[in-house]
Structures are given as structure tokens and as C-alpha cells.
Amino acid sequence: MNPWETSLTLIDQAETYSCVMPDEPRWLTDHERDAWLALAKLMFNLPSALDAQLLRDNHLTLFDYFVLSGLSMAPGRTMRLSDLASHLSCSLSRLSNVVKRLEQRGLLRRAPDPESPRYTVATLTDAGWELVVAAAPGHVAAVRQYVIDGLTASQIDVLREVACHVAQQISEAPEASPRPR
Amino acid sequence: MNPWETSLTLIDQAETYSCVMPDEPRWLTDHERDAWLALAKLMFNLPSALDAQLLRDNHLTLFDYFVLSGLSMAPGRTMRLSDLASHLSCSLSRLSNVVKRLEQRGLLRRAPDPESPRYTVATLTDAGWELVVAAAPGHVAAVRQYVIDGLTASQIDVLREVACHVAQQISEAPEASPRPR
DNA sequence: GTCAGATTGTTCAAGCTTGAACCCCTGGGA
DNA sequence: TCCCAGGGGTTCAAGCTTGAACAATCTGAC
């Protein structure tokens, strides 16, 4: 029935194995589990749905769109890569790769920051600007279709509260320190 | 300030370009945009945060965990791949690749379905079962930390409503038909 | 009975992401 | 002045996902 009940209902069985657990964990209640499974499903499917629309109509991934859109709003349509990366909460490595591809397509240009040569700035070209302007209506329509339309104002309000809460929890979490395998 | 304001606030500028638009789109209100940007940030960061915990502690991706967990709850710890794929809303291609890797690690076994040779079933091994049981507490703790704890019961309720709504909208959307570039 | 078409699952190439290694530049001691 | 620690950015290899192509099996219509 629910495609994501896979995630945690294992718990009922796992409880019989409490011998192997360090401390008895605080399992999710049914109420909490339903919400989490629904959110998990959203988390997996919404990005690909939005990607699909942008790829089909504008040959852009959602992340490409965020990069171009971020530049389009910056003064002079220009930003340092490090600022853009923290703006987008992504690694500099990922941004560098994406920016290189977008530059090859003529949508932006890279240049050393004239104010300090150790930075690199990216500037949206006219072609890049026109592409974002052309892509925006379809993207907004998809966001409305999948997310916004059909919700009440108060649901939208709670959605914002919850999403901000999650974002904050993640940003405050101790940095995940990978353990050698 | 808000790392994802990049997404749609372009709109204010794009409106001055209405000449290039087919019909005047219904832009998002500030209220809607705040909620969408917060959700977008969640959508990008929550999967990697949960991945990081599972990879660090159990050398599993979140998707691996869902696959193993799905099997662990099925009768006989066995499911057809096509059922599992629709259960997880993923492509058969992706599932086939993941299952092959999990089989190589000894966490599950593949076999032709005895009831109908055109299906393939996957069965969790004891090692796979033990890994899921060992991984569950840490995973649940991460879900609590990032999502559930700190929300009120009514916020959790609305979260479920909203996420179900989005999931439904996506599943009802006309299948994205890729356009040749 | 047979053929067209749908379904199941695998594989392959192409593209993207990640993390580590690396280089360059800067700034701050000693 | 010299050294070095740290931040910014790129690159590379490894791993994962996607979509198309393919093989095998089943279904249904004629």
C-alpha cells in the first residue's frame, strides 16, 4: 500500500532483537512514521519530477537552473564561486564541474575576481539570462502543480516552518566524519 | 540570507520580459515562495545527511537501506524485483544495479520466481537481515534528529498531509516525455 | 496456432557527484 | 624575509543513475 512503509516498520521485528542494540532506541510512533514515510517519498520523487520538466523543456537540470538563477539575481549578474557554493549549500567541487559545463554551453563566463585574484567569479551571459527567463514560467508552473496548488494558506505556512526546522537541524549537526571502510 | 532564494525571485525581473512568454504565468506569492525555497533546501540536503549517517555507520546508502528494509518486511523476506521497484517508486534499471551490488556483498540472493519463471525474486540473507537490524537504530535516530524531534503533533500531521499531496500530484502527472535535443 | 505487443529484467554507455589530491594565492607569525 | 597554515578552485578516479537497447517471457486478438 504505502510504498515507503519499507523504511522503518522493520522496527516491530527489530525490537525482538534488543539484545544486539546498545541502548533501546526511541522508535517512531505510527503517527511519526506515516509523516516520515510520506516525506521520504517526496524527497525521492520531487527532484526527479522537477528535473524532468526542466530537462524536457529547457535542457537544464534543477541544479543548473539554481546556479543560473542565483547569478541572474546577483549585482552585475556576477558572483564568486565560493559565495555561490555556500548560497546553494553545495560542495565547491560540484559547483566547479557544473560551472565548467555551463561555460562550455556559453551560458556564463568565468574570470579571476578583479578585486582579489585568488577568487574566481562567474558572470551570466546574455544567452544565460535569456535561458533563465525562458525557463522560469515552466518551472514555476511545475512547482505550483506538484507542491503549491491545492494546499491551504495554513498548510503552506506549516510546510515552511517544518522545512526551515529540518534545514536548521541539518546545518547544526556535527559534520559527518566519514569512517574508513 | 536564504540560500535558496535563488530559485524564483528571478521572477520579479522576468516579469519585465513578458513579451517572450506565451501566457502570463502565475508567479508565486512571497508566502508561497518562502515555503517552496525552504522545501527545496530540505529536498537537496536531507538525503545527503541521511546518506552520510548510514554510509559512515553501516556502509549503506539510504536507497540500499530501503531495499534491504523492504525485503526484511516481506513474507519470507522475499519479493519480486518488479514489485519492489514499484514499492520504492524507482526504475527497474536502478533497482537491478543496486540488487546486483547487494548480492555481491552477500546481503541478498536473486533467483527465478518458482511460480513464474519470467519474474526474479530477491531474498534477504541472514547477513542482510542482521545488517538491517544493526543499522535501524542509528537511522531512526538520524530521522528523529533531523526531522521529527522538535515538531509538534499538529506540525507532524500537516507534514504528512502535505507530503502525501505532493506524492499524489507527482504520480498523477502525465508521464514526462523527453523531447529530443 | 501465430504474431504483435506488453512486461520483466539485464546491460551498456554517457553523464553526474563525491572525495581526495593537488596547486595557487594570501596572511600571519618567527 | 621566510615559512607555513588555511582558503579557493580544479582535476581525477571511483561510484551511482539514467535511458536506450536488448533478450526472454507472457497475453491477447485474429
Side-chain angles (χ1 to χ4, degrees):
Chain A
M1 175 63 49
N2 183 327
W4 288 98
E5 65 188 351
T6 59
S7 162
L8 294 172
T9 26
L10 160 74
I11 294 160
D12 297 338
Q13 300 157 302
E15 276 184 309
T16 68
Y17 279 65
S18 55
C19 51
V20 305
M21 296 176 188
D23 269 52
E24 190 56 31
R26 288 173 50 231
W27 300 112
L28 300 183
T29 65
D30 288 355
H31 188 230
E32 293 166 338
R33 196 203 57 201
D34 290 348
W36 158 239
L37 295 178
L39 179 61
K41 185 161 185 170
L42 178 155
M43 207 171 68
F44 272 82
N45 294 330
L46 186 52
S48 35
L50 294 173
D51 260 343
Q53 181 273 320
L54 278 168
L55 278 171
R56 176 168 47 85
D57 294 340
N58 304 99
H59 194 44
L60 285 175
T61 66
L62 186 55
F63 190 75
D64 291 339
Y65 180 82
F66 279 132
V67 169
L68 297 178
S69 175
L71 288 178
S72 76
M73 296 165 43
R77 298 179 193 168
T78 295
M79 279 182 89
R80 291 179 177 169
L81 293 191
S82 45
D83 290 344
L84 192 50
S86 73
H87 209 65
L88 301 174
S89 324
C90 72
S91 70
L92 211 34
S93 168
R94 178 181 187 183
L95 183 62
S96 178
N97 283 314
V98 171
V99 161
K100 182 167 60 171
R101 276 170 241 144
L102 294 176
E103 184 175 39
Q104 286 164 352
R105 290 169 63 183
L107 301 176
L108 54 80
R109 269 188 308 271
R110 274 184 294 189
D113 186 339
E115 296 179 5
S116 174
R118 82 160 140 169
Y119 295 100
T120 302
V121 296
T123 303
L124 204 60
T125 62
D126 290 345
W129 170 261
E130 281 160 23
L131 182 54
V132 183
V133 169
H139 174 62
V140 176
V143 171
R144 278 207 169 280
Q145 176 188 357
Y146 294 136
V147 182
I148 299 294
D149 287 346
L151 297 181
T152 66
S154 101
Q155 283 176 316
I156 292 176
D157 218 43
V158 174
L159 172 60
R160 181 184 48 71
E161 290 168 11
V162 168
C164 286
H165 164 258
V166 173
Q168 173 133 4
Q169 290 305 115
I170 292 175
S171 68
E172 284 174 1
E175 204 51 44
S177 54
R179 163 194 301 177
R181 33 130 100 190
Chain B
M1 176 61 53
N2 184 325
W4 289 98
E5 64 189 350
T6 60
S7 161
L8 294 172
T9 26
L10 158 76
I11 294 160
D12 299 338
Q13 300 159 301
E15 277 184 309
T16 67
Y17 278 65
S18 56
C19 51
V20 305
M21 296 176 188
D23 271 51
E24 190 58 32
R26 288 171 52 229
W27 301 113
L28 299 183
T29 65
D30 288 355
H31 188 232
E32 293 166 338
R33 197 202 55 204
D34 290 348
W36 158 239
L37 295 177
L39 179 61
K41 185 161 185 169
L42 178 155
M43 206 171 68
F44 273 82
N45 295 330
L46 185 53
S48 35
L50 293 173
D51 260 343
Q53 181 273 320
L54 278 168
L55 277 171
R56 176 168 46 83
D57 295 341
N58 303 99
H59 193 46
L60 286 176
T61 66
L62 185 55
F63 190 75
D64 292 339
Y65 180 83
F66 279 133
V67 169
L68 298 179
S69 175
L71 288 178
S72 76
M73 295 165 43
R77 297 179 194 168
T78 296
M79 277 182 91
R80 290 178 178 169
L81 293 191
S82 46
D83 290 344
L84 193 50
S86 73
H87 209 65
L88 300 173
S89 322
C90 73
S91 70
L92 213 34
S93 167
R94 179 180 188 184
L95 183 61
S96 178
N97 283 313
V98 170
V99 161
K100 182 167 59 172
R101 276 171 241 141
L102 294 175
E103 184 175 38
Q104 286 165 353
R105 289 168 63 182
L107 302 175
L108 55 79
R109 269 189 308 272
R110 274 183 295 188
D113 185 339
E115 296 180 6
S116 174
R118 85 160 143 169
Y119 296 100
T120 301
V121 297
T123 303
L124 203 60
T125 63
D126 290 346
W129 170 261
E130 281 160 23
L131 182 53
V132 183
V133 169
H139 174 62
V140 176
V143 171
R144 279 208 168 278
Q145 176 188 359
Y146 294 137
V147 181
I148 299 294
D149 286 347
L151 296 181
T152 65
S154 100
Q155 283 176 317
I156 291 175
D157 218 43
V158 174
L159 172 60
R160 182 185 48 71
E161 290 168 11
V162 168
C164 287
H165 164 258
V166 173
Q168 173 133 3
Q169 289 305 116
I170 292 175
S171 68
E172 285 175 2
E175 204 50 46
S177 56
R179 165 194 299 178
R181 29 129 95 192

